[in-house]
Structures are given as structure tokens and as C-alpha cells.
Amino acid sequence: MNNRELIKNAFEDIAPSDELLEKVKSSQTADNRSRPRLRKGIIIPVAVCFAACLGVTAAAVTGNLDFDVLFGDRIKVADSELAEELVGKVSNVRYSVSDDDYIVSVAGVTGDSDTLYAVIEISRKDGTPVTEHFQNPADFDHNDYTWLEDNVKINNAVGFTAQMSWGGGFGQSITENGNIIYTMDIEGDEPISGKVISAEGDTLVGWDKYNEICDETNSYYGMNKGEYGFYDKDTHEPVQVDISSVVAIPLKWSISFKYTASDKSLDVLTCKAPEEKATFRLKSPDEIGDKIYEGGSERYEFECTVKLIEISPTGGKMDIEFPGNENNDFFRGVVTGIENEMYLVMTDGSLIPVSMNGWSGKLENGTAEMTLHLAYRQQSDYFRNYMDTSEVCALSFNGTEYPLG
């Protein structure tokens, strides 16, 4: 491949295709959303590179990048100018595929220093819909798919097993024009911006029918003793399972890129040292665990100290600490039943709901330290909102307001 071809392919690797621009028509309803799956990151190898691009944004290549087209099935921004300013940059993009007829590209990224929402597109070089080449295209729903293997890595950080802890939701969908979309919604306990993000997938299958086969054969696909394969659910011994009837495409792909958050996303409001006592609420200890909650509303409350609050246009975080011991119910309760009321207080007096989007923490020397990751949405909402921080004046936490500036 000569330099001219390399440069051409590099730009193709960034620009969203015409097919992706139709995605907004098919992904605004609940029935057509991708299905995110929460999991930890896993180490993946970076395969041979076919394209590279340095310091280029999707917007730079395509002109006016439509934020709602790329991210509107997950993220809402009321102001179009703000949305454009929150599009991040990618550089050093590299990808590989097991079939040279396919292209893997970064359609767009957004987020802030500690978070990333990336849209990856898998398309064909000849422009034909990927779905025309599926082995079993029959009656699969547009979003009823999963990769048999799909892994994400941030530099050398491997989910919660590495020095840098992070978690995320990953999903895939099919556009109306037949290309594959893979999304990464990840958050770290230290900056992600400036790091290399890698992802890979292997063998796209119909999700529901694949699960039916696993149920019928009492098997699962996963890693056991360092090797991927099918294993018996009871004995965990290797078994032979025929999934040929549910394989959409036996493609293996990988992509890596350096992510840089936009300058606007780094406009952070802080309440760095509030040293304010607050009430943290969980469901009662009796409701934590395997019991099914029925009726009533008994809250388990305890006092915590708020150490740090940071609010950015795309989300926020809140550091708290409280006395703890090995028998403390907090670490289980924080997962099963948080009942806190949080809002952004806007300059016009309106309130924007805030929910917890994840947490990290440690218990050491009798003190529990927790970082609560915040999203601007109701806890039950699928969509999250991005905000203009110039219109935010405080965070309300269970009735206590913390001024921000």
C-alpha cells in the first residue's frame, strides 16, 4: 500500500458512512436501541494495522457532524452548539479485520476526562450492506445480536483487576442500511482522555436464538483455564456445541485509537472542600440481599462526609467517606438499593434529576471512601443528558445544597 492509499484509508476510517447517517431514523425508539451489557474490561491483543490517522476529528473530515445522529440513541443535548463542542478527538486509529472486504471505523466519540462514549462502525469496502452477507439473516431483529467474544482495553488497564479501575456498557445494533454499530460507554476512576482505547469482536450471532441453543445444551461460551470455548454449565468441562444456525457473520475485528476529550467537556464546576455532613440513604439492611422487597418504605440512613464534588457538561462525581468495618452493609447496599435524591440546581431555579451511574471505593483503617459517578437523568431513564455548566449553580443531595463554581 502506498502513502496515497494509506492516507485515503485513514480518512475513511474516521468519517461516518452515509449508511450511518440514516441511523437516527431507526434508533430513536426503544425497540431499535442497542442493548448495553455491563461488564469489566478484558485484555485483548491489537492485531495488524490497516489504517492510521493522526490528530483528526470526525467533525474535521465530515464537516458538520450531527451529534444527534451519532449519539442520539443514548445521549441528549438541548443546545446544538454545545453538542458540537462536546465531540471529542481520535488519533492514531488502527484496525484489522479477518476479511479484507470490511472496514472498521470510529464514527465519533464524546465524553469528558474520565468518561467515553464511542460509536464504532463496521462496513464493507464495496458499499453494500453488511447484512446482505450474513449467513443467517432470516428473522433476526435488527438489534438481536451479540459478539461471541468482544473485549475492551484502556492502555493496559483491564477492568477492575488492574491498577486503573473502570467499567462500562457495550452494545451493538444494525442500521437500517445494514451496517454494524458497536458502542462503548465506559468510565474510569482516573482520566481516560489521552489514553489508547482498544476493542475487538469475534463472530456475530443472533442473541436470543444463541441463548436457546445454550439452554438446550446446558452450556455457556466463555474463558476457562485461559481458553475460550463452550463449557458445560454444571461441570465446566469443554463440550461441542453447533451454533452454525445462529451465526450472522464469522468476522473477527479489532480497532485501537487515542481518545482526547474536547476542551468544552473539561469545563468543571467544583465544591472542592465542602466538609459538609450529609445523610446517605439505602434500603433497610433487611431488604439487602436475596429478599424481595414488598410494600413499605423503610430507609437505612447514615451520616457521611462529602469531600469533593465535580460537575462537568457530561456528568460528575462526588467523593464521600464514613466510618466502616468489614461487616458494613454499604458495599452491598449501594448496588441493590440506593434511595438518595440528587438534583442539579440551575440558575433559573429549575431542578435537573441526577442519578448514580456507578461507583468505586475502598475500606481501609475503619474508614470507607466512595466515589459516586453521576449522570444527569432519572435512575430509571435510558437516556442521559449533557448540560451547559454555566447554567448550573449547585448540587442538591438529599436536601442539602452544595454551591458550585
Side-chain angles (χ1 to χ4, degrees), residues 42-201:
I42 303 173
I43 287 181
I44 62 171
V46 177
V48 178
C49 305
F50 283 92
C53 187
L54 304 177
V56 180
T57 68
V61 176
T62 62
N64 296 322
L65 183 150
D66 191 326
F67 188 97
D68 193 54
V69 167
L70 287 177
F71 311 113
D73 58 348
R74 187 73 171 95
I75 301 166
K76 297 298 181 184
V77 188
D79 185 284
S80 59
E81 183 176 344
L82 174 63
E84 184 176 339
E85 292 178 322
L86 292 176
V87 175
K89 298 179 181 179
V90 294
S91 58
N92 298 341
V93 180
R94 296 176 170 84
Y95 79 91
S96 72
V97 284
S98 58
D99 185 337
D100 196 38
D101 289 331
Y102 291 85
I103 298 170
V104 186
S105 60
V106 183
V109 296
T110 186
D112 57 28
S113 176
D114 299 336
T115 68
L116 166 66
Y117 188 81
V119 178
I120 308 299
E121 183 183 20
I122 299 173
S123 58
R124 286 183 58 88
K125 288 182 178 178
D126 61 10
T128 60
V130 174
T131 50
E132 287 187 0
H133 303 269
F134 277 7
Q135 295 180 359
N136 295 285
D139 55 353
F140 293 169
D141 179 82
H142 261 358
N143 294 299
D144 183 22
Y145 292 95
T146 190
W147 294 96
L148 200 59
E149 297 177 24
D150 64 317
N151 303 316
V152 172
K153 180 176 71 172
I154 304 175
N155 276 14
N156 292 318
V158 189
F160 298 101
T161 62
Q163 183 176 3
M164 174 186 173
S165 295
W166 63 274
F170 314 113
Q172 51 281 313
S173 61
I174 308 297
T175 68
E176 282 294 297
N177 287 315
N179 283 350
I180 303 171
I181 298 300
Y182 184 78
T183 57
M184 296 184 286
D185 188 358
I186 57 182
E187 186 161 10
D189 66 351
E190 64 181 69
I192 295 174
S193 180
K195 291 185 168 58
V196 174
I197 313 298
S198 303
E200 72 171 4

Side-chain angles (χ1 to χ4, degrees), residues 47 189 236 303:
D189 66 351
H236 305 293
E303 191 175 73

